[in-house]
């Protein structure tokens, strides 16, 4: 299992990366490589040019100003998991980043890579959808901003154009409040069989499911029934409309369970 | 007797190393990364091989296009069946008129079957060329289901041979009457799905012509150096002495490395034909596709029993899917079924047994050995039966076990299949395990927790482990050999024909020899893994190295001791019986100052030879062989698993795990416990995680370790282990124990899950049991109650 | 920006030593360590990130050397089992021997490196901390219990 040949370019700035990406056809961005390199080792992906983003300066910064989080795409899952600002003001993001793969994977895999790769069972794309984050996409043509909810189009498919780089992520710290997360995986570190971010407000509820559809599945509801049976029945009926890629019955069942668990976690924390 | 002498003899009876928790001699090199596994061996100018493999489970090969591959930079040679006409013929296949080609010729019969070998400067270049080979296939309908295959449906895997490649029947006399007369009956179909050993080091082979001797030298990661040499020599058409097999450090084996594979023939043949050093190291996907698979069995069982739980008779139709060929040299399908049929009654006095066995070919990977082979399947069936009887009669599963357990006074006991069990601690191990668990209290807790919607299950597995068999997957010979040489400086070199892969034989064999010779462990070197230096032996497999290899170590140790005593008695002018060996010295009992060190004795034996007694051969070398009198020695024990099933998700969590193990006299409890813990982890995988799945076209869909799930540290529970020691009648009193933990544990986990799900009237009948199946069963039960 | 070539010269810092060598960009760090630099204590068990056998420390953190191209490791300091053992066995290695935390040894270097990094950042880990930290490393032989025991003992400073 060895990758096919390619040419390698290391860039020091986003501009260099954008230039290289527009210059070479069949080029691919390399971030942490934790999704791309396995695919290349299997020769399921054979880019002729790799543009390595790892050398971009300060590509892993996190800042919080006036309630707006700005996170640059190169931050690793582990740094996201450990970052004091994220822990303090977007704890659900820190928590779910810690569920991505194993320690050694998290030490290298990046937020941008995970968001761009768009694995339907990934935690972080769903987290961004739940947070209603904005992605900044950069190319030689300039920058544009797209909401996470518009970014995901389907299985491993996003709105990212061939020449674009996902460079920054913005979301409101206040929106991270009241979002809680639960997932079920076969073994810790595995991709989730089903996971959910649930946000409970007085008058409204949002659920973002992952692992149970071809992409993060977001929906907004009225306030949830307080009574357990009714609430679970609601989750079950909502989950029954999901279209998982396999194990349909089972994943739908789990979807209802993770939604309830995320909800209960929220109630515990908020109590 | 003087006090001093008395003291000495008492001490002499208590060995210093045997039975002690000695840390391993192997560890220093392994811990520092200094050891050399197969892929660490560099021969100057070595080429690498990559294979083009069948992507079809059944097809005719119409054309192979190699031009683009030939033109790939770095490519040296390309072989197809035309260039490499070798084949393996296992006894079972040959009996059916079938042989397995090294490279598929006209037809492919399973996904992953090698078709073309590319020899290139690097593995990278070889894989570049692999991509460029194009093969035209004409698809054939794959044979995938055992029941259909038995009827030659939809077709024959080998045109001229019926798919049923093995059949046998057995019945105790009076079976039918006993079966009919019983007041209670139950039926069940047990199934185990394909799994494989997955040693962390993948398999492979390197081959080169030794410029000095002109012999072919192969480096193999294998369990049986001599066995492999014999098999390869035959298949390559060369004499055994023209081939040297070197087995470097082996990174786990678990049965899959007891086999010889088609790729090995290609690598060795290429080295011979082109006079090139070449190597092939399997990648993980090649392993999951083509390492022998295991455990593909169906048992259709009928059981007759009495109202008190006493089981009277078992009828079992056993089936196994052999795959496209009989794995070489050991057919897993036949091994799993025939041997399972002999231990189906486990540790119980079940008087009647009737078995029918059918093994069939299919368009799947050949079935071969994985640790425990038949044992995990037989235990799963046998312990599943016991728990079903208990449930049918509303009895505690422990009670049913007590009623049926072979009582101590019946040993040696011959079971319904004619297997002779040696004395063990059958009852005692069960009672001890229950005590460790605080069984009665736990049962009470279970009830309370159930009322709160928490589903705890207790799964018992009392097992027998046939070990040290005269014949098994590694070890076509019923004995092992040991040579001991005392070097001119007095240090000890011992050599064995064993093929360890982590079991620590360099330590355990040295422990035994050190105690015989009264020398320090650090003064002994144990060699293995080179047919040039190792005496002929069967190798490691079937839990034979401890009891048979250990027996050889003891015999050789005693022979060397005797030599040293003879020599020392001559030099000390004392009676031979009075010469004792301790602390690296030979001395006259009671007068430790009258002594010769082993070093001094060696000096005499090699250099100062005029001082040797008459008739004493120059030098200090012995060879000994040990062939146990019993064809098989039975270890035994009891495992109990406590699990919690999450009724919302179907996930299980192991809460506690207790093992009582009796493998006769212990050589090294630390190593025994390591074997147990590793086996239980594999048992958890077998019961709950690991499955090689095929789709309806015969494609394996679990080709990565993200699909074939292995137990990790967060899954495997902490285990509590106790030892009982019922010595065997063999040399040293040792019994084997390499497989018992994996034989017992899948049944323990399965029974624990069944027990937890008793409120839902569910019992595990197929392994692995997956969370979605568990949840589906819970739902079915809830629906039927609603 | 670097220009495109078939092979490139790189300089790697491995175990505190500098190595200059030519590599194809596609060469995995695991292959370069093993087959170009002879550091065969780093093992390869899957080449898709799951087994953990290839784990090395990159700037002190455990990473998969099968999921990093050697060319990417320029500018980082890489530590392998050979580096860990440069001054004889560490307390952790001795604890592994004492507790029989290895059988075939194929997984062992990676466990040692992962645990070394863990103990550097968490002085007094619980059993659960340890199990989580090593959950990305597969051992097929030991069942993990003695590995956990060894790491616990090393953390407590217990000497054999
Ligand atoms: C054993 C294992 C277990 C794992 N478990 C999980 C898990 O449980 N949950 C989970 O979510 N993930 C898991 N992963 C995947 C891991 O999270 C990856 O890190 C992540 O999916 C990709 O991030 P990366 O930085 O490694 O991206 P890369 O692999 O470098 O790139 C992935 C893709 O994104 C593109 N890309 C990268 N960066 C950018 C960018 N800034 N802009 C545009 N495109 C970009 C690349 O071109 C490529 O197509 C696992 C991986 C492994 C090997
Ligand atoms: S070889 Fe790198 S994780 Fe398995
Ligand atoms: S000791 Fe063999 S894989 Fe861990």
């Amino acid at each position: 299992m060895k990758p096919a040949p390619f040419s390698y370019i290391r860039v020091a700035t986003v501009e260099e990366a954008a230039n290289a990406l527009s210059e070479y056809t069949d080029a691919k961005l390399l971030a942490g490589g934790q999704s791309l390199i396995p695919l290349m080792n299997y020769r399921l992906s054979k880019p002729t040019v790799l543009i390595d983003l790892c050398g971009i300066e300060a590509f892993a910064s996190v800042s919080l100003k006036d309630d707006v989080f700005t996170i640059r795409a190169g931050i690793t899952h582990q740094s996201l998991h450990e970052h004091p600002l994220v822990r303090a003001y977007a704890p659900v993001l820190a928590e779910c980043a810690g569920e991505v793969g194993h320690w050694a994977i998290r030490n290298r895999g990046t937020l941008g890579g995970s968001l761009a790769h768009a694995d339907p069972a990934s935690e972080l794309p769903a987290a961004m959808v739940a947070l209603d984050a904005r992605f900044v996409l950069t190319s030689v043509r300039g920058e544009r901003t797209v909401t996470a909810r518009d970014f995901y189009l389907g299985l491993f498919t996003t709105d990212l154009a061939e020449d674009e780089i996902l460079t920054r992520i913005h979301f409101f710290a206040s929106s991270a409040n009241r979002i809680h997360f639960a997932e079920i995986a076969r073994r810790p570190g595995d991709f989730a069989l089903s996971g959910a971010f649930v946000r409970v407000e007085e008058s409204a509820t949002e659920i973002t499911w992952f692992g149970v559809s071809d992409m993060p599945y977001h929906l907004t509801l009225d306030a949830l029934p307080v009574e357990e049976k009714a609430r679970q029945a609601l989750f079950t009926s909502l989950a029954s409309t999901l279209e998982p890629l396999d194990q349909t019955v089972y994943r739908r069942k789990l979807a209802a369970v993770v939604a309830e668990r995320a909800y209960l976690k929220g109630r515990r924390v908020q109590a | 007797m003087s006090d001093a002498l008395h003291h000495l003899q008492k001490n002499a009876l208590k060995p210093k190393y045997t039975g002690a928790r000695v840390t391993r001699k192997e560890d220093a090199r392994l811990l520092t990364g200094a050891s050399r596994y197969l892929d660490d061996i560099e021969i100057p100018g070595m080429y690498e091989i990559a294979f083009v493999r069948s992507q079809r489970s059944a097809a005719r090969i119409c054309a192979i296009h190699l031009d683009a591959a030939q033109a790939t930079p770095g490519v040296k040679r390309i072989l197809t069946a035309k260039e490499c006409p070798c084949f393996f013929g296992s006894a079972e296949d040959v009996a059916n008129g079938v042989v397995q080609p090294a490279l598929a010729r006209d037809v492919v019969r399973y996904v992953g079957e090698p078709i073309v070998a590319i020899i290139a400067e690097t593995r990278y270049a070889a894989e570049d060329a692999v991509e460029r080979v194009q093969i035209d296939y004409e698809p054939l309908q794959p044979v995938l289901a055992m029941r259909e295959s038995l009827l030659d449906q939809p077709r024959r895997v080998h045109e001229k041979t019926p798919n049923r490649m093995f059949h046998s029947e057995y019945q105790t006399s009076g079976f039918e009457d006993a079966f009919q007369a019983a007041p209670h009956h139950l039926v069940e179909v047990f199934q185990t799905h394909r799994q494989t050993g997955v040693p962390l080091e993948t398999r492979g082979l390197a081959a080169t012509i030794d410029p000095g001797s002109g012999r072919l030298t192969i480096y193999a990661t294998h369990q049986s150096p001599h066995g492999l040499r014999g098999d390869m020599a035959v298949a390559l058409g060369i004499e055994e002495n023209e081939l040297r097999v070197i087995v470097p450090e082996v990174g786990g084996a678990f049965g899959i490395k007891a086999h010889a594979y088609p790729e090995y023939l290609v690598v060795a043949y290429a080295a011979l034909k082109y006079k090139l050093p070449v190597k092939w190291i399997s990648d993980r996907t090649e392993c999951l596709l083509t390492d022998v698979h295991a455990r593909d069995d169906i048992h259709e069982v009928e059981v007759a029993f009495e109202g008190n739980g006493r089981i009277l008779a078992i009828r079992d139709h056993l089936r196994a899917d052999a795959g496209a060929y009989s794995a070489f040299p050991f057919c897993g399908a036949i091994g799993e079924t025939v041997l399972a049929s002999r231990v189906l009654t486990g540790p119980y006095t079940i008087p009647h047994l009737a078995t029918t066995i059918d093994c069939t070919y299919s368009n799947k990977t050949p079935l071969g050995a994985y640790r425990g082979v038949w044992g995990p399947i037989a235990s799963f069936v046998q312990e599943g039966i016991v728990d079903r009887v208990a449930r049918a009669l509303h009895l505690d599963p422990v009670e049913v076990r007590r009623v049926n357990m072979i009582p101590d006074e019946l040993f040696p006991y011959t079971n319904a299949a004619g297997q002779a069990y040696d004395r063990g601690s059958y009852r005692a191990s069960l009672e001890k395990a229950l005590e460790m668990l605080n069984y009665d209290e736990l049962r009470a807790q279970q009830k309370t927790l159930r009322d709160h919607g928490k589903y705890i299950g207790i799964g018992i597995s009392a097992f027998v482990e046939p070990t040290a068999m005269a014949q098994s997957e590694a070890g076509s010979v019923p004995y092992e050999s040991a040579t001991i040489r005392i070097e001119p400086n007095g240090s000890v070199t011992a050599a064995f024909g064993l093929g360890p892969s982590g079991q620590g034989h360099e330590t355990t064999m040295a422990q035994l020899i050190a105690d015989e010779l009264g020398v320090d462990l650090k003064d002994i070197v144990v060699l293995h893994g080179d047919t040039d230096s190792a005496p002929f032996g069967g190798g490691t497999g079937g839990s034979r190295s401890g009891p048979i290899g250990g027996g050889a170590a003891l015999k050789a140790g005693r022979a060397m001791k005797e030599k040293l005593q003879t020599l020392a008695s001559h030099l000390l002018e004392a009676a031979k019986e009075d010469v004792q060996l301790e602390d690296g010295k030979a001395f006259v009992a009671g007068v430790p100052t009258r002594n010769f060190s082993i070093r001094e004795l060696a000096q005499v034996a090699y250099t100062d030879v005029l001082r040797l007694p008459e008739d004493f051969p120059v030098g200090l070398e012995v060879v000994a062989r040990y062939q146990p009198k019993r064809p098989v020695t039975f270890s035994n024990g009891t495992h109990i698993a406590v699990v919690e099933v999450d009724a919302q998700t179907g996930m299980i969590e192991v809460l506690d795990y207790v093992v009582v193990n009796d493998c006769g006299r212990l050589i090294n409890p630390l190593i025994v416990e390591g074997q147990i813990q590793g086996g239980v982890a594999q048992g958890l995988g077998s019961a709950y995680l690991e499955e090689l799945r095929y789709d309806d076209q015969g494609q394996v869909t679990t080709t990565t370790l993200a699909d074939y799930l292995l137990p990790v540290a967060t899954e495997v529970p902490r285990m509590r282990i106790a030892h009982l020691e019922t010595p065997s009648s063999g040399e040293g009193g040792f019994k084997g124990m390499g497989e018992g933990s994996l034989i017992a544990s899948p049944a323990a986990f399965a029974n624990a899950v069944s027990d937890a799900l008793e409120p839902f009237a569910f019992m595990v009948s197929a392994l692995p049991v997956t969370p979605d199946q568990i949840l589906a069963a819970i739902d079915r039960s809830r629906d039927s109650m609603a | 920006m670097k220009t495109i070539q078939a092979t490139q010269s790189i300089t790697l810092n491995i175990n505190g030593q500098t190595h200059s060598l030519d590599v194809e960009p596609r060469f995995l760090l695991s292959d370069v360590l093993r087959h170009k630099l002879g550091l065969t204590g780093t093992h390869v068990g899957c080449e898709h990130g799951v087994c953990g056998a290839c784990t090395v420390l990159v700037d002190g953190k455990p990473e998969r050397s099968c999921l990093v191209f050697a060319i990417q490791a320029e500018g980082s300091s890489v530590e392998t089992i050979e580096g860990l053992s440069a001054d004889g066995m560490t307390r952790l290695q001795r604890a592994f021997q004492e507790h029989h935390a290895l059988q075939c040894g194929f997984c062992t270097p990676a466990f040692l490196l992962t645990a070394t990094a863990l103990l550097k950042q968490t002085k007094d880990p619980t059993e659960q901390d340890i199990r989580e930290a090593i959950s990305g490393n597969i051992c097929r032989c030991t069942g993990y219990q003695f590995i956990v025991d060894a790491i616990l003992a090393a953390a407590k400073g217990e000497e054999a």
Side-chain angles (χ1 to χ4, degrees), chain B residues 371-683:
Chain B
R371 193 178 190 180
V373 189
W374 62 92
I377 306 162
S379 275
F380 171 54
V381 172
Q382 147 224 319
E383 291 300 272
I385 288 173
V386 173
D387 273 22
R388 278 163 177 75
V389 168
R391 194 171 289 184
L393 297 170
H394 304 289
L395 292 174
D396 189 309
V398 170
E399 279 321 305
V400 178
R401 285 184 174 79
R402 285 186 180 132
V403 165
N404 288 287
M405 190 75 73
I406 306 168
D408 291 344
E409 58 277 14
L410 287 188
F411 286 99
Y413 177 83
T414 302
N415 78 4
Q419 293 289 298
Y421 294 172
D422 32 353
R423 185 168 291 284
S425 53
Y426 288 57
R427 253 231 140 85
S429 77
L430 174 65
E431 301 302 336
K432 171 92 191 161
L434 294 169
E435 180 197 311
M436 284 167 74
L437 198 68
N438 219 335
Y439 180 75
D440 294 330
E441 199 170 296
L442 194 63
R443 276 279 176 225
Q445 269 179 22
Q446 176 188 37
K447 210 160 167 294
T448 325
L449 288 168
R450 233 176 233 179
D451 296 338
H452 291 89
K454 266 174 99 79
Y455 298 96
I456 307 290
I458 307 168
I460 304 168
S461 174
F463 72 99
V464 295
E465 177 188 8
T467 72
M469 301 218 293
Q471 233 161 356
S472 72
E473 72 273 18
S476 43
V477 293
Y479 64 87
E480 280 301 332
S481 320
T483 62
I484 298 180
R485 183 171 71 227
I486 292 188
E487 306 288 349
N489 71 345
S491 71
V492 181
T493 306
F496 292 82
L498 303 174
S501 51
Q503 298 88 345
H505 296 160
E506 289 167 41
T507 304
T508 48
M509 297 300 133
Q511 285 176 262
L512 299 174
I513 293 168
D515 278 338
E516 286 299 327
L517 301 183
V519 301
D520 200 290
L521 205 58
K522 73 171 176 358
D523 293 328
I524 301 184
V525 170
V526 172
L527 303 177
H528 54 82
D530 183 343
T531 51
D532 272 6
S533 59
F536 194 90
T540 293
S543 302
R544 69 201 304 280
S545 296
I548 311 186
L554 286 179
K555 279 186 78 173
R558 275 204 301 272
M560 181 56 83
K561 177 178 183 175
E562 152 104 36
K563 272 175 102 70
L564 292 171
Q565 282 173 320
T566 306
L567 178 53
S569 78
H570 174 75
L571 297 173
L572 290 164
E573 293 173 4
K576 194 170 142 193
E577 310 76 67
D578 289 344
V579 174
Q580 297 214 335
L581 300 178
E582 223 178 281
D583 294 334
K585 294 190 194 76
F587 59 95
V588 180
V591 201
T593 46
R594 277 183 68 197
N595 71 55
F596 273 84
S597 69
I598 308 271
R599 192 190 183 100
E600 289 163 332
L601 294 176
Q603 171 111 35
V604 173
Y606 286 98
T607 318
D608 226 354
V609 293
L610 295 178
R611 294 175 70 191
L612 289 173
E614 227 173 287
D615 296 339
F616 194 96
V618 171
L620 287 168
E621 287 185 69
V622 299
V623 54
R625 300 199 162 75
Y626 174 59
Q627 177 171 359
K629 292 206 181 66
R630 299 180 60 88
V632 48
T633 294
F634 281 84
S635 291
N636 75 279
T638 300
H639 288 212
I640 306 182
V642 183
V643 307
E644 179 176 350
V645 177
D646 181 334
Q648 288 186 320
T649 63
M651 298 284 169
I652 71 164
E653 185 187 348
V654 187
L655 304 177
D656 197 4
Y657 201 95
V658 168
V659 176
V660 178
N661 195 69
D662 188 342
C663 57
R665 190 155 161 249
L666 291 165
I667 301 174
N668 186 333
L670 199 58
I671 285 179
V672 167
E673 285 161 23
Q675 288 289 313
I676 292 172
Q677 290 164 3
V680 171
Q682 289 179 329

Side-chain angles (χ1 to χ4, degrees), chain B residues 205-220 225-226 228-230 232-233 236 238-247 268 272 528-534:
Chain B
L205 198 94
T208 186
I209 308 255
D210 171 40
S213 65
R215 292 179 304 170
L216 178 66
T217 301
I218 64 181
Y219 297 84
H226 288 283
L228 184 67
R229 180 172 72 161
M232 292 289 289
L236 293 168
I238 61 176
E239 290 295 332
E240 226 164 309
N241 67 307
E242 294 172 325
L243 177 59
R244 175 183 181 191
V245 173
I246 297 176
V247 175
L272 270 179
H528 54 82
D530 183 343
T531 51
D532 272 6
S533 59

Side-chain angles (χ1 to χ4, degrees), chain C residues 44-47 49-54 64 66:
Chain C
V44 167
C46 73
E47 296 183 302
V50 182
C51 78
C54 66
R64 304 292 202 229
C66 76

Side-chain angles (χ1 to χ4, degrees), chain C residues 111-132:
Chain C
F111 272 94
L112 288 166
L113 290 164
T114 305
T116 299
L118 172 72
L119 295 181
K120 212 160 260 169
Q121 82 169 40
T122 313
K123 292 284 171 245
D124 193 12
T126 62
E127 171 156 358
Q128 194 53 34
D129 293 339
I130 292 170
R131 286 188 184 263
E132 270 163 26

Side-chain angles (χ1 to χ4, degrees), chain A residues 1-5 41-44 46 102 184-191 193 228 232 247 249-251 253-254 257-258 260-261, chain B residues 123-124 127-128 131 283-285 646 648-651 688-689 703-706 708-712 714-715 769-772 775 779:
Chain A
M1 268 175 42
K2 309 292 179 190
N41 287 355
Y42 273 103
R43 298 197 182 214
L44 294 170
K46 288 184 276 183
H102 313 280
I184 290 164
R186 207 54 211 285
R187 301 166 304 181
D190 285 345
F191 279 98
L193 285 164
E228 185 183 318
Q232 287 181 359
Q247 297 188 293
V249 176
Y250 183 54
R251 285 191 195 249
K253 283 209 174 297
L254 291 186
V257 173
V258 287
E260 172 73 2
R261 286 184 184 177
Chain B
R123 176 76 183 221
Y124 286 83
E127 291 192 18
D128 292 345
E131 276 198 303
D283 65 36
R284 184 55 66 190
T285 293
D646 181 334
Q648 288 186 320
T649 63
M651 298 284 169
Y688 186 62
L689 293 169
T703 55
T704 74
L705 292 184
Y708 189 85
L709 306 179
L710 297 170
V712 296
T714 39
E715 301 288 281
V769 58
T770 54
D772 55 315
L775 210 55
D779 283 342

